[in-house]
Amino acid sequence: MSGTDSLFLAAETPSWHQHVGGLTILEPGESGLGYDDVVRLTRERMEYAPKFRWKLKQAPFGLDRPVWVDDPDFDVRHHVHRIGVPSPGGAREVGEVAGLLLSAQLDRNRPLWEVWLIEGLAGGRVALLMKYHHCLLDGVAGAGLATAMLDVEPDATAPMVAKPSREESSAGDQGVLDVVGGLANRWVKGPATYARYGFDVLTKAAAVLDGARSGGSLASAIPRGPSTPFNASIGVRRQLAFAGIAFDDIRRIKEAHGVKVNDVVLALCGTALRTYLLAHDALPDRSLVTGVPVSTRAEGDDTQDNQITTVFVELATHLDDPIQRLKTVSETAAGAKEMSKAMSAKQIQSLGEVAAPLILGTAIRAIYSTELISRMPLRINTLISNVPGPPLQLYMGGAKVTGIYPSSVILEGMGLNFTVLSNMERMDFGLHVDPNLVPDPWEIVDALDEALAELLAASGLEGPTAVDDPFAADEQSGGSGDETQPPRSTTGRRTKSGVK
């Protein structure tokens, strides 16, 4: 296991979960999509996703990084489950059930993933929640791996990806001699490795300061976000909320101001948080700061380990004017990328490559128990990830995909996370929160719609474009949806289903 992947594993505590996931909304059609169908499909497609058959093998006493080995007792039914959603099966109910499923840690004695079929959605729809540990793969690899389960035609018989070779399909196993040799190698080289790591850290710190003196932003490398109600010690509970925005609206704003798509996404999320904090009389004088994960994966690299770094961007939440906020976000994002380039010239090993899991885990749990992380002045207020998604209509087991809402990890001291995925001609926003710190995440979803309308109006552009609401009741459902509750993903806009 790589050092970065090992770090995700060592950082996990009962409250600080390290699994990520995605919620896919499906419209089954006449043939339907039941539990047995999902089990069969998953079993068939496992040949194209062999890493999902691998499990962890720990080194004795945590003295070395774990390794992946083939699970000889693999059974897909240990990983594919079903659950019903309460009536009326709308977005809120689905978000609560998905949050409940994400509140439990994965079983480390088995391959680190689960799939949950969620039944009973409005309009006869179902949802599929995929949940996997971050040490298994990163968001970009996860999006690529999902293609093994997805098709471009409703009656497809094979996935869009090629079957891996025999060498790629097997993790192998380790004997006693392999384990002993690995341990001896680590501990013989240990002193020199720690010394080199310390030197590299000091060298990189000098590069950061030099980059700041050369016109870069020190805040791009050292985040100092203000305190907010959602920046406190996290608990075990999770909840999801969702929003869908037309990609064309984001594109129109991008072209009007000469910024990037991700700049618009960051500005919308920042404005939604600004509105939420204003409503709770808790908006800080200083700008909120977000971490933005950036893939370091080379083009054409289809490996499934973690290859990411993080840059830090100020969201300009202290500014009143939406256009000024967008331009400031664009400038700080550009500065963060330049700083990241300067820092990448002084690459250092992941801490997970250097320290043994026993040392890392003990240190992280000790710091976590003191709640020191949530009290530190150097903090990020949220994470905002933008993951490329499918540019065309997809199906799963013959069912039409109508929404894909990703979710990613919440960090200690940071009770909410935005993960955004482009899905055909829309951007699907997944908001993952600790409900003890954000009691009603749908307030932020509503504010996201308001932020879009505000930015379009301030730019002299037409109002928000209608998007399909995957949770709306349709005529075939006989009005079974909750017609007193507006579809939260399109608040303030008329959807193509005609429901406001």
Side-chain angles (χ1 to χ4, degrees):
M1 180 180 288
S2 74
T4 300
D5 294 350
S6 177
L7 191 57
F8 283 120
L9 201 63
E12 191 162 43
T13 72
S15 297
W16 195 354
H17 309 153
Q18 294 295 324
H19 50 255
V20 297
L23 182 72
T24 302
I25 312 302
L26 299 162
E27 195 171 295
E30 294 182 3
S31 59
L33 184 69
Y35 174 72
D36 290 338
D37 299 314
V38 175
V39 170
R40 174 186 50 78
L41 178 66
T42 307
R43 183 182 290 119
E44 291 173 355
R45 300 299 172 89
M46 278 295 98
E47 294 183 47
Y48 299 86
K51 196 170 185 179
F52 274 29
R53 291 178 178 267
W54 301 355
K55 69 175 184 177
L56 294 173
K57 184 172 184 178
Q58 302 285 357
F61 309 109
L63 296 176
D64 200 358
R65 296 196 302 272
V67 296
W68 294 113
V69 297
D70 295 313
D71 182 4
D73 301 316
F74 179 80
D75 184 344
V76 72
R77 287 184 180 270
H78 291 156
H79 301 271
V80 181
H81 314 285
R82 69 194 299 184
I83 193 171
V85 67
S87 178
R92 281 180 175 266
E93 292 78 25
V94 174
E96 289 173 2
V97 170
L100 176 68
L101 300 177
L102 290 170
S103 298
Q105 289 180 294
L106 291 160
D107 182 357
R108 292 198 181 186
N109 294 314
R110 291 189 172 126
L112 295 175
W113 63 276
E114 292 176 349
V115 167
W116 286 85
L117 176 67
I118 303 176
E119 301 171 300
L121 276 67
R125 301 175 184 89
V126 297
L128 207 68
L129 179 76
M130 177 172 281
K131 170 181 168 185
Y132 55 88
H133 202 285
H134 214 325
C135 74
L136 190 66
L137 65 174
D138 64 22
V140 174
L145 189 63
T147 58
M149 296 285 288
L150 297 169
D151 305 309
V152 294
E153 298 290 343
D155 55 354
T157 57
M160 299 177 285
V161 293
K163 187 178 294 187
S165 66
R166 180 175 297 180
E167 292 75 17
E168 294 171 317
S169 297
S170 176
D173 202 348
Q174 280 206 335
V176 175
L177 292 179
D178 296 316
V179 173
V180 172
L183 288 174
N185 183 62
R186 167 177 284 278
W187 290 97
V188 166
K189 294 181 177 180
T193 302
Y194 281 109
R196 186 172 61 252
Y197 183 77
F199 176 78
D200 288 346
V201 168
L202 292 175
T203 303
K204 190 157 188 173
V208 170
L209 294 174
D210 184 62
R213 283 194 297 267
S214 302
S217 170
L218 193 60
S220 299
I222 305 176
R224 293 190 66 253
S227 177
T228 74
F230 45 77
N231 291 118
S233 188
I234 59 175
V236 300
R237 296 174 59 219
R238 299 292 183 266
Q239 190 172 344
L240 297 186
F242 329 102
I245 286 177
F247 205 157
D248 187 57
D249 289 347
I250 293 177
R251 191 180 296 115
R252 287 191 291 145
I253 295 170
K254 163 190 173 294
E255 293 172 354
H257 299 286
V259 298
K260 298 183 181 300
V261 166
N262 204 48
D263 297 335
V264 181
V265 170
L266 292 173
L268 291 175
C269 293
T271 299
L273 293 179
R274 169 186 162 85
T275 301
Y276 174 80
L277 291 169
L278 278 171
H280 290 266
D281 195 26
L283 181 67
D285 294 333
R286 289 191 290 118
S287 172
L288 300 185
V289 176
T290 184
V292 181
V294 177
S295 175
T296 59
R297 190 178 300 276
E299 186 175 352
D301 183 351
D302 58 358
T303 57
Q304 294 171 2
D305 56 343
N306 283 276
Q307 299 185 42
I308 54 174
T309 187
T310 302
V311 300
F312 306 107
V313 178
E314 294 185 359
L315 294 174
T317 50
H318 61 301
L319 300 177
D320 294 329
D321 181 74
I323 302 299
Q324 190 179 0
R325 281 199 299 274
L326 173 62
K327 291 184 175 180
T328 301
V329 165
S330 180
E331 291 169 2
T332 57
K337 290 176 183 177
E338 288 302 314
M339 178 64 76
S340 178
K341 289 179 182 178
M343 293 171 66
S344 65
K346 301 289 183 180
Q347 286 288 356
I348 63 175
Q349 287 180 293
S350 165
L351 182 58
E353 298 277 359
V354 177
L358 173 65
I359 297 172
L360 274 177
T362 301
I364 289 170
R365 283 188 289 274
I367 294 172
Y368 180 86
S369 66
T370 65
E371 299 186 0
L372 181 63
I373 296 176
S374 60
R375 297 192 180 112
M376 291 178 65
L378 305 181
R379 68 161 66 89
I380 57 173
N381 299 108
T382 186
L383 279 169
I384 303 174
S385 307
N386 189 355
V387 181
L392 67 170
Q393 179 62 59
L394 295 176
Y395 301 84
M396 182 181 293
K400 181 180 179 181
V401 174
T402 58
I404 305 175
Y405 302 103
S407 69
S408 192
V409 294
I410 293 172
L411 305 181
E412 169 58 13
M414 188 209 74
L416 64 84
N417 177 305
F418 289 94
T419 309
V420 187
L421 186 139
S422 54
N423 175 19
M424 293 188 294
E425 286 304 309
R426 56 189 284 158
M427 298 284 280
D428 283 342
F429 289 67
L431 181 59
H432 190 191
V433 308
D434 176 346
N436 290 330
L437 302 180
V438 185
D440 187 1
W442 297 101
E443 286 186 53
I444 300 176
V445 167
D446 287 343
L448 191 64
D449 280 332
E450 295 167 11
L452 176 65
E454 178 190 47
L455 192 50
L456 286 169
S459 304
L461 302 171
E462 291 185 7
T465 305
V467 294
D468 287 320
D469 176 14
F471 297 96
D474 58 20
E475 294 179 2
Q476 292 181 351
S477 69
S480 62
D482 182 1
E483 298 181 6
T484 65
Q485 176 184 308
R488 314 300 286 199
S489 60
T490 52
T491 303
R493 286 173 281 165
R494 180 174 292 276
T495 69
K496 291 182 182 178
S497 64
V499 180
K500 286 188 179 180

